[in-house]
Amino acid sequence: MNAKFANLLKVRNLHTHFFTKYGVARAVDGIDFEVRLGETLALVGESGSGKTVTGLSIMGLIDEPGRIVEGEVSLAGVDLLKLSDKEMDAVRGARIAMIFQEPMTALDPVYRVGTQIGEVLTIHKKLTRREAFERAAELMDKVGIPDPESRRRAYPHELSGGMRQRVMIAAALACKPELIIADEPTTALDVTIQAQILDLINSMKREIGSAVLLITHDLGVVSQVADQVAVMYAGRILEIASVGKLFATPHHPYAKGLLACIPDVDYEMESRRMLPALQGSVPKLYAIPEGCRFHDRCQNVFEPCTTEPDMIQVESDHFVRCWLYAN
């Protein structure tokens, strides 16, 4: 499994539902995708589309009232959903690592950041606490934190947002995982720091040969770092293609709408030209409309849209879930 671009992660027919007083919220409702070693797959869509739940499902971190009710999550041929809790503990952090959206909620406020980075190494690499604390400084230096010998003794609140995110990346990469799941890793950061964090994730991916699942709503970020893009909406993947094909020739009306909302290089605020916007909002996941999930917001809606289409192959590596492309 060390050959570049070998299939690493395969997700098949994954369903993760939340059983609430309002009904069953189908946050992830039958999705399929693959990620290869050395590749970044971006999972994009509006808030509420099911992107983060997908990442947490892969990590085995779904809590009540949520439950994975069906599907397969295969890492190098091993179905993670069939592992025991103990077996999954050995995978999580060592072979799969997750960089969370907000490090202040992911990092423990009462422990020094060096201790938290080192914890992964004491669990999975059997280092002593002293050895792990020493290694933490090396990892912090690798991710660009200045004066790591001193900074490893800091608590999370003593670091800036960008530095906290670098701590999260250091912890995630400590055991050189095969798969890195990055959930909106730049959302709370300013533009300059965003670029630095993206460059860092990319360089670390190349150094250790990992695959990356990037969860984001920011298509500008996607264009910089992704190889493949999966567009998610209301628990379903509506389109999946290489980043070049999706940006050049998007097929699904939802993907077209998302791309139309991005200002181009010639856009000027002074022109007062309004950017197009998608009308409506993502449906409540316990009240998903029948048929195509996007049809109540779609300008191309027609009679077949009252039933949901399967994925349709439009090119060798380009698939779309839309009746407009049915033969």
Side-chain angles (χ1 to χ4, degrees):
M1 282 308 302
N2 290 325
K4 188 178 182 182
F5 297 123
N7 287 330
L8 174 69
L9 178 73
K10 292 185 180 180
V11 175
R12 291 287 180 267
N13 196 35
L14 180 64
H15 295 254
T16 303
H17 297 173
F18 289 80
F19 298 85
T20 75
K21 64 181 180 180
Y22 303 104
V24 179
R26 294 177 285 163
V28 176
D29 203 30
I31 63 171
D32 302 88
F33 63 85
E34 298 180 4
V35 191
R36 296 177 292 174
L37 280 171
E39 177 182 87
T40 296
L41 171 71
L43 190 59
V44 304
E46 295 167 278
S47 297
S49 294
K51 308 184 301 299
T52 293
V53 175
T54 299
L56 294 173
S57 298
I58 295 168
M59 290 290 289
L61 295 175
I62 299 298
D63 294 324
E64 291 293 337
R67 188 165 73 246
I68 297 173
V69 298
E70 187 178 350
E72 177 184 337
V73 177
S74 176
L75 181 72
V78 176
D79 187 355
L80 301 180
L81 302 186
K82 294 181 179 178
L83 299 183
S84 67
D85 289 344
K86 184 177 181 180
E87 290 170 329
M88 194 62 201
D89 284 341
V91 171
R92 194 185 299 116
R95 300 185 63 192
I96 306 176
M98 192 163 185
I99 302 167
F100 292 92
Q101 179 174 352
E102 178 43 67
M104 273 304 284
T105 59
L107 294 171
D108 194 317
V110 301
Y111 289 99
R112 301 180 193 276
V113 294
T115 301
Q116 296 187 61
I117 295 171
E119 184 180 17
V120 182
L121 296 165
T122 60
I123 293 172
H124 296 292
K125 299 298 184 182
K126 308 305 179 186
L127 299 187
T128 66
R129 290 186 182 276
R130 180 182 292 276
E131 291 169 336
F133 199 59
E134 291 296 322
R135 176 65 178 146
E138 297 174 24
L139 289 164
M140 292 173 73
D141 180 61
K142 188 178 288 289
V143 299
I145 295 177
D147 191 14
E149 294 285 342
S150 174
R151 291 282 173 81
R152 66 181 171 173
R153 300 181 183 279
Y155 292 94
H157 73 272
E158 296 177 313
L159 301 177
S160 68
M163 289 298 174
R164 287 194 294 266
Q165 195 60 280
R166 288 172 188 269
V167 168
M168 288 288 297
I169 294 171
L173 300 179
C175 295
K176 298 184 177 180
E178 296 157 78
L179 176 66
I180 301 165
I181 301 174
D183 184 9
E184 301 278 11
T186 63
T187 294
L189 306 175
D190 65 49
V191 175
T192 302
I193 303 301
Q194 283 184 19
Q196 293 174 1
I197 294 299
L198 292 172
D199 287 344
L200 176 58
I201 292 172
N202 251 352
S203 64
M204 293 295 100
K205 178 189 76 171
R206 289 192 297 268
E207 181 177 325
I208 65 179
S210 301
V212 175
L213 175 62
L214 174 65
I215 297 168
T216 184
H217 66 275
D218 187 339
L219 285 164
V221 166
V222 170
S223 66
Q224 297 176 51
V225 300
D227 300 293
Q228 302 285 324
V229 186
V231 180
M232 193 167 185
Y233 182 81
R236 290 281 205 193
I237 290 176
L238 301 186
E239 186 164 358
I240 188 165
S242 68
V243 66
K245 287 184 178 179
L246 189 90
F247 275 71
T249 56
H251 283 58
H252 199 283
Y254 180 58
K256 291 179 180 179
L258 290 177
L259 287 165
C261 297
I262 304 174
D264 59 36
V265 293
D266 298 321
Y267 181 80
E268 296 180 3
M269 293 296 291
E270 293 80 5
S271 70
R272 297 184 181 274
R273 175 166 58 90
M274 295 293 291
L275 287 169
L278 284 167
Q279 300 301 309
S281 58
V282 179
K284 301 293 185 185
L285 294 174
Y286 52 79
I288 294 173
E290 295 295 323
C292 171
R293 302 195 174 194
F294 187 64
H295 81 265
D296 59 343
R297 301 174 68 187
C298 183
Q299 296 181 348
N300 302 102
V301 65
F302 65 127
E303 191 276 331
C305 302
T306 56
T307 59
E308 188 173 27
D310 293 326
M311 274 291 196
I312 298 164
Q313 185 172 1
V314 292
E315 291 187 62
S316 60
D317 59 349
H318 195 160
F319 298 83
V320 62
R321 190 185 299 275
C322 182
W323 286 115
L324 292 171
Y325 303 94
N327 294 326

